[in-house]
């Protein structure tokens, strides 16, 4: 393939038919790829049949055969099997194909050393809300990836939500904020719902209120463009209920806890990267 996107969509092989693989598949079709332009590999036959029936794409078990037919190879497999998959497909590549990986923690150098010399690689750090089109993904180019390759990846991921470019050195921090971040949000939702139950609400009602409140607050923050602290102040009337609540959060070190959690996630991401 050329390094600049053209009017024709490149053939894409999605290696791995799990949740993230299906998310990427759906995103490609939403972005304008035709089913015949996408192939998915999945060795669990019932799952492969499910994807073929749902999306009308070709499915198979051979990563090498799919890669040999592709212009873009998307690796949507677990980090611990990336090395074996790369060894499987490296001989099938014709030269110039773009390799894109969503595996967490693995540095681009670990891909480039297993692939043919000069192979373009782009690393992506997505998060689980991408499944509903509300994700946040960061992309980082390898040594041989061009502007055209980055634009192509942005186009492929557009339907998953926000897509930003970063240097690879920043991906561990991205992992700590957006990659692991949904767990922080779910933790807060669970805590808010539990508080509602303790205050006398039914669990169903408390959970619905907590989810809607977090969802609405995130939408307001995204649309207003104001700093979160400014938005918080608008809710906080002097001497009111919100001020009392935020004082307790500060007293319990919630802000410091979030920062410490993000640092722990970043450090663990670095450790995982050093294992491969």
């Amino acid at each position: 393939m050329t390094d600049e996107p053209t009017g024709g969509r490149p053939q894409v092989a999605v290696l791995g038919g799990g949740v993230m693989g299906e998310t990427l598949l759906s995103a490609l079709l939403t972005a304008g790829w035709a089913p015949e332009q996408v192939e998915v590999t999945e060795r669990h036959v019932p799952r492969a049949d499910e994807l073929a029936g749902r999306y009308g794409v070709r499915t198979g078990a051979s990563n090498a055969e799919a890669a040999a037919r592709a212009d873009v190879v998307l690796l949507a497999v677990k980090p611990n099997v990336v090395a074996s998959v790369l060894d499987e497909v490296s001989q099938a590549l014709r030269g110039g194909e773009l390799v894109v990986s969503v595996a967490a923690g693995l540095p681009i150098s670990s891909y480039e050393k297993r692939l043919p010399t000069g192979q373009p690689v782009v690393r992506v750090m997505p998060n689980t809300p991408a499944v509903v089109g509300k994700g946040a993904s960061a992309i980082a180019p390898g040594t041989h990836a061009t502007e055209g390759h980055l634009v192509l990846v942005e186009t492929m991921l557009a339907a998953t939500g926000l897509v930003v470019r970063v240097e690879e050195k920043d991906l561990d921090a991205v992992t700590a904020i957006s990659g692991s971040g949904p767990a922080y949000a779910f933790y807060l939702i669970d805590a808010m719902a539990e508080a509602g139950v303790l205050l006398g609400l039914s669990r169903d009602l408390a959970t619905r209120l907590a989810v809607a409140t977090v969802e609405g607050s995130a939408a307001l923050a995204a649309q207003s463009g104001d700093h979160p602290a400014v938005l918080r102040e608008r809710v906080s009337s002097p001497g009111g209920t919100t001020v009392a609540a935020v004082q307790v959060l500060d007293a319990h070190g919630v802000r410091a806890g979030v920062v410490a959690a993000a640092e722990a996630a970043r450090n663990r991401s670095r450790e995982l990267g050093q294992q491969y």
Side-chain angles (χ1 to χ4, degrees), residues 6-29:
T6 64
R9 306 271 181 189
Q11 186 74 22
V12 180
V14 180
L15 309 187
V19 173
M20 190 53 66
E22 183 175 4
T23 299
L24 295 171
L25 166 59
S26 177
L28 286 165
L29 298 180

Side-chain angles (χ1 to χ4, degrees), residues 64-243:
E65 291 178 6
R69 290 187 283 266
D71 301 305
V72 180
V73 178
L74 285 173
L75 275 72
V77 297
K78 300 294 185 183
N80 63 324
V81 300
V82 165
S84 62
V85 171
L86 289 176
D87 290 342
E88 189 179 347
V89 305
S90 61
Q91 297 301 314
L93 297 174
R94 306 178 305 279
E97 299 90 341
L98 173 61
V99 176
V100 181
S101 179
V102 298
L106 278 68
I108 292 173
S109 60
S110 68
Y111 295 87
E112 293 179 337
K113 73 180 181 182
R114 291 182 179 274
L115 293 169
T117 302
Q119 195 78 48
V121 177
V122 172
R123 183 178 161 196
V124 179
M125 183 63 237
N127 65 6
T128 54
V131 173
V132 293
K134 294 293 185 180
S137 299
I139 64 175
T143 307
H144 308 288
T146 68
E147 171 69 15
H149 291 128
L150 292 175
V151 171
L152 176 57
V153 174
E154 288 171 335
T155 301
M156 292 190 294
L157 296 176
T160 66
L162 175 69
V163 182
V164 299
R165 298 185 188 186
V166 300
E167 296 180 36
E168 188 182 21
K169 67 179 180 62
D170 293 324
L171 281 179
D172 291 320
V174 169
T175 299
I177 302 306
S178 61
S180 298
Y184 314 157
F186 298 143
Y187 187 98
L188 177 60
I189 290 170
D190 182 49
M192 290 171 65
E194 186 66 24
V197 172
L198 290 172
L199 296 174
L201 300 178
S202 70
R203 186 167 298 278
D204 176 68
L205 177 57
T207 301
R208 287 165 56 201
L209 288 171
V211 170
T213 299
V214 171
E215 181 181 31
S217 300
L220 180 59
Q223 293 176 16
S224 72
D226 292 328
H227 192 281
V230 173
L231 296 174
R232 188 190 70 224
E233 287 299 319
R234 288 178 185 164
V235 186
S236 305
S237 301
T241 59
T242 306
V243 169

Side-chain angles (χ1 to χ4, degrees), residues 17 40-60:
V40 181
T41 62
E42 174 55 54
R43 290 175 179 171
H44 186 56
V45 176
R47 174 61 172 168
D49 291 343
E50 177 187 352
L51 293 172
R54 182 177 299 164
Y55 298 100
V57 298
R58 178 176 184 169
T59 60

